[in-house]
Amino acid sequence: MVARAGSTVRVLLVLIGVLAALGRPQVAAAQAPEPAATASEASVREALDQFCVRCHNDRLRTAELTLDTHDLAHVGTDAETWERVIVKLRSRTMPPAGSPRPAEATYSAVASWLETEIDTVALATPDPGRGETFHRLNRAEYHAAVRDLLAVDVDVAELLPADDTYEHGFDNNGDVLSISPDLVGRYLSAARRISRLAVGTPPVGPAVATYRVHPGLVQDDRQHDLLSFGSRGGIAIPHYFPVDGEYTIRIRLHRNFSDYIIGYAAPQELDVRVDGALVERFAVGDADSVGQMAPLSFSGNIAGDPEWEFYMNTGDAHLEARFPAKAGQRTVGVSFVRRYSEPEGVLQPRNRGYGRFVDERYDEDAAVEQVAIGGPYAVVGPGDTPSRREIFVCRPVAAATTGKRADATADERADTPAERTDTADKRANAAAERTDTPADAGTDAVAEETACAGRILGRLARRAYRRPMDAADVEALLEFYRAGRRDGGFDDGIQFALERMLVDPEFLFRIARDPEDAAPGTPYRLDDLELASRLSFFLWSSIPDDELLEAAAEGRLGDPAELERQTRRLLADRRSRALVDNFASQWLRLRNLESQERESADYPEFDENLREAFRRETELFVESSIREDRSLLELLSANYTYVNERLARHYGIPGVYGDRFRRVTLDPDHPRGGLLGHGGLLMVTSYPNRTSPVVRGKWLLETILGAPPPEPPPNVPGLPDRGEGGEPASVRERLERHRANPACAGCHAPMDPLGFALENFDAIGTWRADSEAGQPIDASATMPSGVAFEGPAGLRQVLLSRGEDFAAAVTDKLLAYALGRGLEYTDRPAVRRILRDAEADDYRWSSIVQGIVKSTPFQWRRSRSDAPALVAGADAPDGR
């Protein structure tokens, strides 16, 4: 064991070094220049002098911007300054409210002329940016890479910490993906656990995994598509059983603060199923037959009969079963058998908030609080799992059977009885041959095992390291195989080599190497292998598959037609769901939904079912937009959404029943069309006890229009809770008082109107007519440009009239996500080119994605300029 630990630690030392790789840049095809803008240098200068120079001059230096001294004849050489100007012009946020403003045509003409001047220079001297040399996989990418490499789906959230989020909103940014000694230790532990699960190595001893159900989840209906029809409540658990063997399950039911089991008056039945097959059915409840109960609403203060008290505290102690399970990922379902009846009497409102956790809720339905799965307590074998089928592509027939565990026999790989019989005959013949030639049997067996191990490890390492393998690469892994083989059997050797593979820097990092002949600070094209990794991590958040890797190894990605074909194939694959989980959820800040809390007194109807429905609605909506290759603009204009019964009831949509989400078409005047009506997004842009036009307006500027407002000045007073004289006042009225301060008005003028238009939605997205102060909602708004609108419908039309700005905002975010770095001013010409090419296709997802993949920042990189570059065959320099 000391030797094994020492070897693994030596491998981790490589994390501070670099493995060399071959690669040569390729010459990029020239791009045609763009047509000139209609404005002229003279007209642009006239507009700047009339509307901008009054503040942005060498004397006032407002925002450290002096437009009076900047020479318009050399706009392209000072692109950083002029890109700032373009953002303000495109977003119409300057000049500030109250100042003279140019006509709409002037805004567009000046911005277009500046863009053309910059893009012309960028075409001649492109700067693709650099990014991080060592780009660590984030947690989501690590999970997907392990899943696609070893066909084992492990919850890495238990093994690795969450990654920081970059200021632009994405946790795949190389700047924040650092590595620490603690994280190295976590990677070591994760590699050991994952490799053992994948190979089917029995655990050292039984382990217990506990799955908890949120106490705010209402369990009155079928909870999940993977649970049985006719079920109620409970939980569907994707649990990985490490080996074939015997396991236990222990269930605890929800209790109130007095530790009384909730909903235990009537008899009920609780099912435990594994992959839909019934394991055990328990009888629960019927507390009415066990002594005199405590008086209603006095539980914990006045006791019932001792027998009743004991039963109400321990009535779920028998909910434990032992069962056999096959190795691999299984769905463990725990749910109640639904009773199709309604209680008599007057229908009472559901207990919410504090009362939900205090009252005994004696006559309600029982609910699952947690499920604990333990084992294995008896090991039958490693089983036939997808991971073993993925790993063991060969089996040494002559493998030795000594060691900690006998090697699995070759008939594990057989699919039919005939194949198993044929395999058994071959093994019998091989055994006879070994008996006839005892001197050579051991040597032949070792050679056969080593050759098979080399084949297994070479194949997996090729995908793990995202490049072809040579003999030295395979031999490095075989050293670990031999060390593990000495301590056990063939499978143990493979497991230890896989453990080594999963902590290799070439697996944990995407390492970009400058070519040997690259001059400092010059652009070069990524080689095909690096481009393949960049493409797969962009669209899948995972490693390239065999087809993409083969195309890269053969140098075919330099052909634009082949690169486009591969891009379309990856985008059509189910793994492109990563664009929803990892891009859209961060771009729209949907991930923040989990941390949102609501005051139960203000929003008693909010529960965890609604929170989950909010999340699913937006995910399904964005996923359908990508899958059906719709226009980006339809994210705002869509006349449909996805709801289940809980969400439809919240939105006032009739005729929807059950927990299954389905697509519903909305009436033309329905406020839920497009992202603006999604309850989850309205919730993450509100406070726990009220809405915030400022937060919503800022979100719209940043996320939808790509024009984030400046940071507020220090020591800005908060919004008062009430109006003048302590009288109730709407948020709008209080904000108007706040904007009376000139220091605040400049920032709030473009933000607040956008938020005012959404004030009919409360802090959980419910449509309302009155504000928190009990006053009628005023959803009218006027932008600094003078454009007036009202309500979500009016706001939607305003945003769609600036559809190019919305498409630019999405493209900007998607390019930053694809590159794994924040965008710089040098990337703006590429964004504009992507948009120009996509405009003819109505800004469809495929045209935006293809434009990104074809772009200079995606395919090229700038060599290091401040020190010797990291090149093939060179040692790692200190730094980037």
Side-chain angles (χ1 to χ4, degrees):
M1 293 302 295
V2 174
R4 288 177 61 143
S7 299
T8 306
V9 170
R10 284 195 296 274
V11 172
L12 261 294
L13 293 178
V14 183
L15 287 171
I16 61 173
V18 181
L19 297 179
L22 298 176
R24 292 292 186 273
Q26 297 182 23
V27 178
Q31 300 177 0
E34 299 298 318
T38 56
S40 65
E41 179 181 334
S43 63
V44 171
R45 171 50 66 191
E46 180 182 356
L48 294 175
D49 289 343
Q50 181 179 357
F51 299 106
C52 305
V53 170
R54 58 185 298 181
C55 296
H56 300 289
N57 54 62
D58 197 43
R59 183 175 63 85
L60 295 179
R61 304 183 67 85
T62 304
E64 294 301 316
L65 189 61
T66 58
L67 298 182
D68 57 337
T69 58
H70 277 71
D71 186 2
L72 291 180
H74 302 93
V75 169
T77 60
D78 192 14
E80 184 172 9
T81 297
W82 292 110
E83 290 288 0
R84 292 173 57 195
V85 174
I86 291 169
V87 169
K88 298 299 183 182
L89 293 175
R90 289 295 186 191
S91 62
R92 309 298 193 263
T93 54
M94 286 291 162
S99 299
R101 300 175 68 87
E104 281 295 308
T106 304
Y107 269 113
S108 298
V110 172
S112 297
W113 186 87
L114 292 173
E115 289 169 350
T116 301
E117 293 295 307
I118 294 172
D119 294 353
T120 301
V121 174
L123 177 62
T125 57
D127 184 353
R130 179 163 175 80
E132 291 294 309
T133 299
F134 298 94
H135 193 134
R136 178 174 62 81
L137 305 190
N138 66 17
R139 190 167 69 177
E141 292 168 339
Y142 181 90
H143 166 263
V146 167
R147 177 201 65 205
D148 294 343
L149 177 67
L150 300 176
V152 59
D153 199 346
V154 179
D155 182 10
V156 298
E158 297 180 354
L159 306 175
L160 301 174
D163 299 295
D164 293 332
T165 300
Y166 183 63
E167 62 177 323
H168 293 282
F170 301 112
D171 60 7
N172 70 340
N173 187 281
D175 285 341
V176 299
L177 291 172
S178 58
I179 192 163
S180 64
D182 178 66
L183 187 55
V184 169
R186 300 287 286 271
Y187 277 128
L188 278 167
S189 177
R192 181 168 180 81
R193 179 174 176 182
I194 291 168
S195 61
R196 290 173 67 90
L197 284 176
V199 170
T201 304
V204 176
V208 177
T210 302
Y211 302 90
R212 293 177 172 83
V213 181
H214 196 288
L217 187 74
V218 179
Q219 299 185 36
D220 287 353
D221 206 340
R222 184 172 177 234
Q223 292 298 117
H224 199 282
D225 290 342
L226 296 177
L227 294 175
S228 301
F229 287 107
S231 67
R232 175 192 65 77
I235 181 176
I237 304 168
H239 182 79
Y240 198 93
F241 294 92
V243 293
D244 288 356
E246 290 197 356
Y247 297 84
T248 63
I249 187 167
R250 173 79 175 86
I251 303 160
R252 176 181 168 88
L253 301 181
H254 265 310
R255 289 160 162 76
N256 71 352
F257 86 113
S258 298
D259 207 32
Y260 288 168
I261 299 174
I262 291 170
Y264 237 35
Q268 299 162 67
E269 292 178 309
L270 181 68
D271 284 353
V272 176
R273 297 175 182 270
V274 176
D275 285 346
L278 183 65
V279 170
E280 191 76 37
R281 173 167 287 179
F282 297 100
V284 297
D286 199 16
D288 284 343
S289 63
V290 187
Q292 178 63 45
M293 64 175 288
L296 286 176
S297 78
F298 286 91
S299 60
N301 295 307
I302 300 177
D305 285 350
E307 297 84 359
W308 183 88
E309 291 281 335
F310 180 79
Y311 184 71
M312 289 295 288
N313 283 272
T314 63
D316 58 359
H318 68 293
L319 302 182
E320 185 171 3
R322 186 164 178 148
F323 62 95
K326 294 292 186 180
Q329 184 104 332
R330 309 290 173 190
T331 299
V332 178
V334 178
S335 60
F336 294 91
V337 177
R338 186 170 185 176
R339 298 176 297 175
Y340 289 94
S341 62
E342 289 292 336
E344 296 179 348
V346 178
L347 183 64
Q348 298 297 310
R350 185 183 301 280
N351 245 327
R352 304 288 183 180
Y354 177 75
R356 182 170 178 80
F357 301 98
V358 173
D359 293 349
E360 62 271 11
R361 291 147 59 198
Y362 190 60
D363 292 318
E364 291 188 14
D365 290 321
V368 175
E369 180 179 279
Q370 69 178 37
V371 176
I373 301 174
Y377 294 97
V379 177
V380 176
D384 181 24
T385 62
S387 60
R388 285 181 62 83
R389 292 193 293 271
E390 181 68 27
I391 293 169
F392 294 105
V393 293
C394 63
R395 267 311 207 179
V397 177
T401 58
T402 59
K404 294 179 179 177
R405 177 175 53 82
D407 292 339
T409 58
D411 60 0
E412 289 178 332
R413 301 292 303 153
D415 296 323
T416 66
E419 290 174 339
R420 287 195 291 271
T421 301
D422 181 63
T423 300
D425 291 341
K426 291 179 180 178
R427 295 192 70 240
N429 293 336
E433 292 173 2
R434 289 197 301 272
T435 303
D436 294 337
T437 57
D440 298 331
T443 302
D444 291 344
V446 171
E448 184 183 10
E449 284 192 27
T450 303
C452 180
R455 179 184 170 192
I456 289 171
L457 298 174
R459 173 180 170 273
L460 292 174
R462 179 176 182 269
R463 294 195 60 206
Y465 302 162
R466 286 89 73 182
R467 62 175 177 82
M469 294 290 101
D470 57 27
D473 295 319
V474 177
E475 181 57 33
L477 294 171
L478 284 174
E479 290 183 12
F480 282 78
Y481 158 77
R482 295 186 188 100
R485 180 67 180 86
R486 284 194 297 270
D487 293 338
F490 179 78
D491 288 10
D492 297 288
I494 295 297
Q495 179 271 317
F496 194 41
L498 291 179
E499 186 177 335
R500 153 69 170 86
M501 186 186 300
L502 293 179
V503 295
D504 194 287
E506 291 207 77
F507 176 71
L508 295 176
F509 291 85
R510 290 156 57 191
I511 304 173
R513 300 171 174 84
D514 292 346
E516 295 180 0
D517 56 352
T522 59
Y524 66 90
R525 188 184 184 278
L526 300 178
D527 68 39
D528 277 24
L529 292 170
E530 291 174 326
L531 186 59
S533 286
R534 179 167 283 191
L535 180 61
S536 67
F537 278 101
F538 168 31
L539 298 179
W540 290 351
S541 294
S542 185
I543 56 178
D545 63 359
D546 288 329
E547 182 176 340
L548 179 59
L549 201 56
E550 189 67 26
E554 295 175 0
R556 289 189 276 120
L557 296 186
D559 178 5
E562 175 65 13
L563 182 60
E564 179 175 343
R565 189 187 73 81
Q566 292 290 346
T567 302
R568 290 190 181 278
R569 184 180 67 83
L570 267 63
L571 192 57
D573 191 278
R574 60 178 178 79
R575 282 169 284 190
S576 64
R577 161 76 194 212
L579 287 175
V580 178
D581 296 334
N582 301 327
F583 167 68
S585 65
Q586 295 185 82
W587 162 51
L588 297 172
R589 303 183 193 173
L590 193 63
R591 286 187 180 181
N592 296 351
L593 192 61
E594 293 300 317
S595 61
Q596 292 290 310
E597 298 295 339
R598 288 296 174 265
E599 296 288 348
S600 59
D602 297 324
Y603 304 101
E605 65 273 27
F606 178 74
D607 52 39
E608 292 304 309
N609 308 64
L610 188 58
R611 187 199 304 271
E612 175 63 16
F614 282 159
R615 183 184 64 82
R616 289 289 294 149
E617 175 193 23
T618 304
E619 288 179 347
L620 289 170
F621 178 75
V622 176
E623 184 178 15
S624 71
S625 179
I626 296 173
R627 283 274 176 266
E628 297 167 18
D629 195 19
R630 294 178 176 269
S631 168
L632 295 182
L633 304 184
E634 197 170 298
L635 293 174
L636 299 177
S637 65
N639 66 338
Y640 62 89
T641 191
Y642 289 81
V643 295
N644 63 356
E645 181 179 355
R646 178 68 183 89
L647 189 57
R649 186 169 67 247
H650 186 70
Y651 286 172
I653 300 175
V656 177
Y657 302 100
D659 66 301
R660 183 182 63 85
F661 277 80
R662 77 287 318 258
R663 180 168 167 168
V664 294
T665 301
L666 304 171
D667 294 334
D669 58 346
H670 202 287
R672 298 297 173 177
L675 291 174
L676 298 182
H678 283 208
L681 303 182
L682 294 163
M683 185 173 173
V684 299
T685 54
S686 300
Y687 290 131
N689 61 341
R690 66 169 176 85
T691 59
S692 173
V694 176
V695 175
R696 286 177 175 173
K698 184 173 184 288
W699 178 83
L700 286 165
L701 282 177
E702 292 178 340
T703 305
I704 304 300
L705 295 176
E711 291 297 320
N715 303 319
V716 175
L719 196 66
D721 293 331
R722 305 180 74 83
E724 292 188 27
E727 294 296 321
S730 66
V731 174
R732 185 188 189 104
E733 291 170 336
R734 285 177 277 161
L735 276 172
E736 287 175 351
R737 291 178 56 200
H738 183 75
R739 288 200 308 275
N741 184 344
C744 302
C747 296
H748 282 271
M751 267 193 308
D752 294 358
L754 301 174
F756 288 147
L758 298 175
E759 272 296 273
N760 282 115
F761 296 115
D762 70 8
I764 58 171
T766 306
W767 184 262
R768 61 182 181 172
D770 297 325
S771 69
E772 292 91 349
Q775 301 174 351
I777 295 290
D778 180 4
S780 62
T782 303
M783 295 299 290
S785 62
V787 175
F789 52 95
E790 183 171 359
L795 174 60
R796 185 177 297 110
Q797 292 306 314
V798 169
L799 296 177
L800 288 172
S801 70
R802 297 171 57 181
E804 182 181 349
D805 294 337
F806 173 61
V810 179
T811 303
D812 189 278
K813 296 291 186 181
L814 191 57
L815 179 59
Y817 173 81
L819 299 178
R821 63 171 175 83
L823 296 192
E824 303 169 356
Y825 71 92
T826 53
D827 298 308
R828 303 300 168 190
V831 172
R832 289 190 284 268
R833 181 171 184 81
I834 294 168
L835 290 168
R836 284 193 293 268
D837 292 343
E839 184 179 11
D841 200 25
D842 198 25
Y843 303 115
R844 294 185 183 277
W845 280 98
S846 61
S847 61
I848 298 294
V849 169
Q850 290 285 1
I852 288 174
V853 172
K854 295 174 184 176
S855 70
T856 297
F858 192 86
Q859 294 196 22
W860 289 64
R861 186 170 184 262
R862 186 181 67 246
S863 63
R864 183 167 175 167
S865 57
D866 58 337
L870 175 64
V871 298
D875 293 331
D878 182 19
R880 277 196 285 174

